[in-house]
Amino acid sequence: MKKILTFFVIIIAIFGTFCYIYNQRKIDLSRKDAQNNYYERIYDKEIGVNELLSVINKAVNEKQSDNYVKDSTGKYIDNSENLVTIKIKFKDTEEDINAEKIYKNDNSKFKKLYETVKFKCNEIKYNEKTKLVNYVHFDEI
């Protein structure tokens, strides 16, 4: 009797473990899809400064909540898994500006300066390993 009971307990434990692993993978896939869909919905569309700041704030908040490590200059070190880097190309500059610079400075000044300007997301890159968005590029229109 004890052998049969032990056998059923082991079977139930194995079944429970497989169910837990399956649900965790399902949750992880759902999270990845939600994150990718957030950035994909703005791809190749014109957005205003408010939505651009929302995208920047979301990316920076994710970095802060996941406790990414910063280098000596204050930039986040890419862990090459799920760090989202946002670059913006302005008409009056030759090089791309990292969105962290905008976030660190006063957003209200940026918002006033570019309130009538539209931005267009023209490039999204994915991490080959995790299939998550890890690079987003905007151009000033």
Side-chain angles (χ1 to χ4, degrees):
M1 182 75 169
K2 285 185 179 183
K3 288 181 182 180
I4 294 173
L5 185 60
T6 305
F7 176 74
F8 282 120
V9 168
I10 290 172
I11 295 297
I12 290 171
I14 291 172
F15 180 72
T17 303
F18 282 123
C19 287
Y20 176 77
I21 291 171
Y22 174 76
N23 283 334
Q24 287 302 104
R25 287 191 180 176
K26 198 172 176 182
I27 290 169
D28 190 42
L29 278 174
S30 175
R31 184 187 57 80
K32 285 181 181 182
D33 287 344
Q35 181 177 346
N36 285 346
N37 287 339
Y38 180 80
Y39 295 107
E40 288 169 353
R41 72 174 173 77
I42 57 173
Y43 179 71
D44 208 28
K45 292 187 178 154
E46 294 181 11
I47 62 171
V49 69
N50 288 333
E51 193 165 1
L52 177 64
L53 287 173
S54 294
V55 171
I56 292 170
N57 288 338
K58 178 179 176 18
V60 172
N61 288 339
E62 286 175 356
K63 292 174 189 176
Q64 290 174 346
S65 68
D66 290 340
N67 296 323
Y68 286 99
V69 180
K70 293 182 181 181
D71 63 9
S72 60
T73 62
K75 289 185 179 181
Y76 289 98
I77 298 172
D78 188 359
N79 69 354
S80 67
E81 286 191 12
N82 55 354
L83 182 71
V84 179
T85 304
I86 299 176
K87 301 266 182 163
I88 304 166
K89 174 73 171 130
F90 293 99
K91 288 181 180 179
D92 55 347
T93 61
E94 289 189 25
E95 60 185 51
D96 294 343
I97 303 296
N98 195 329
E100 291 174 25
K101 285 185 180 180
I102 295 170
Y103 182 83
K104 287 178 185 175
N105 294 329
D106 189 10
N107 284 349
S108 60
K109 288 181 184 178
F110 179 78
K111 194 174 181 178
K112 275 187 178 181
L113 287 171
Y114 291 97
E115 66 184 343
T116 59
V117 176
K118 295 287 184 184
F119 296 90
K120 186 173 184 177
C121 176
N122 61 356
E123 184 178 7
I124 293 178
K125 292 182 183 176
Y126 298 88
N127 183 308
E128 292 178 16
K129 181 180 172 186
T130 63
K131 307 297 185 218
L132 285 170
V133 171
N134 71 346
Y135 179 80
V136 181
H137 187 269
F138 290 94
D139 277 332
E140 178 186 352
I141 298 177

